[in-house]
Amino acid sequence: MVRNWVAALAAVGGIAVGALVGPHVPGLAAGPGDGAGASVLADRIAIEDMVTRYYAHLGTQDAGAFGDYYTEDAVFDVNGVISTGREEIEALYANMDEEGDSVTEGGVFHMVLSNPVIEVSGDRATATFLWTGILNPDPKAPPQVAEHGREYDRLVKQGGKWLIEKRV
């Protein structure tokens, strides 16, 4: 009998805490019954997943895959080197691999994404991430930080799919 009371009190306490905290979580506030909070949360997850998949292509030697993540007229600014449109963006990645400028040459490379800040407003969004490239040129040696930086993205939802409109 005591166990039932303890379980009931824990459940009521959890509901109370959720009611107090839930509306204050950024991006999850919604009007009564409108489902907007769930939609924003789903969009945030979709954007984070899209960016993670994008970075998973690094080191795969498939430069064409990068264009799939951009709008037709997207702008990609890498330290002042600006590519406009999918074809130019794909060419930028292809040139890095061909010229040996890619950090993915000569070992195992992984990109770690952290500190995502994603703001969704209907079919438009902004996102910032920190990224850290980890290279392990020799399996017997410790991994090395190959690169580190921050990105700023402006995204748009087209045909139910989030795409990058501008990346800096």
Side-chain angles (χ1 to χ4, degrees), residues 148-163:
H148 179 75
R150 177 183 298 271
E151 75 175 61
Y152 303 90
D153 296 330
R154 191 171 64 214
L155 305 114
V156 62
K157 194 174 193 180
Q158 294 180 347
K161 180 180 175 182
W162 284 101
L163 297 171

Side-chain angles (χ1 to χ4, degrees), residues 70-78 81-86 88-89 152-154 164-168:
Y70 289 89
T71 62
E72 202 61 44
D73 59 347
V75 175
F76 185 30
D77 180 345
V78 182
V81 176
I82 299 173
S83 301
T84 303
R86 286 182 181 157
E88 283 188 25
I89 293 167
Y152 303 90
D153 296 330
R154 191 171 64 214
I164 301 164
E165 184 175 57
K166 183 174 184 180
R167 169 168 281 171
V168 178

Side-chain angles (χ1 to χ4, degrees), residues 14-33:
I15 291 169
V17 168
L20 293 171
V21 173
H24 305 289
V25 176
L28 293 183

Side-chain angles (χ1 to χ4, degrees), residues 90-121:
E90 290 171 359
L92 176 72
Y93 280 103
N95 287 340
M96 280 192 285
D97 288 340
E98 289 171 7
E99 295 174 8
D101 291 339
S102 175
V103 295
T104 62
E105 293 292 319
V108 177
F109 179 82
H110 295 285
M111 187 64 81
V112 178
L113 299 173
S114 62
N115 299 26
V117 176
I118 302 168
E119 299 289 335
V120 177
S121 180

Side-chain angles (χ1 to χ4, degrees), residues 38-75:
S39 175
V40 168
L41 183 58
D43 284 332
R44 289 173 50 91
I45 291 168
I47 290 167
E48 192 167 351
D49 184 60
M50 183 267 294
V51 172
T52 302
R53 289 177 189 278
Y54 175 93
Y55 278 106
H57 287 291
L58 289 173
T60 65
Q61 309 302 320
D62 185 10
F66 290 102
D68 295 341
Y69 294 90
Y70 289 89
T71 62
E72 202 61 44
D73 59 347
V75 175

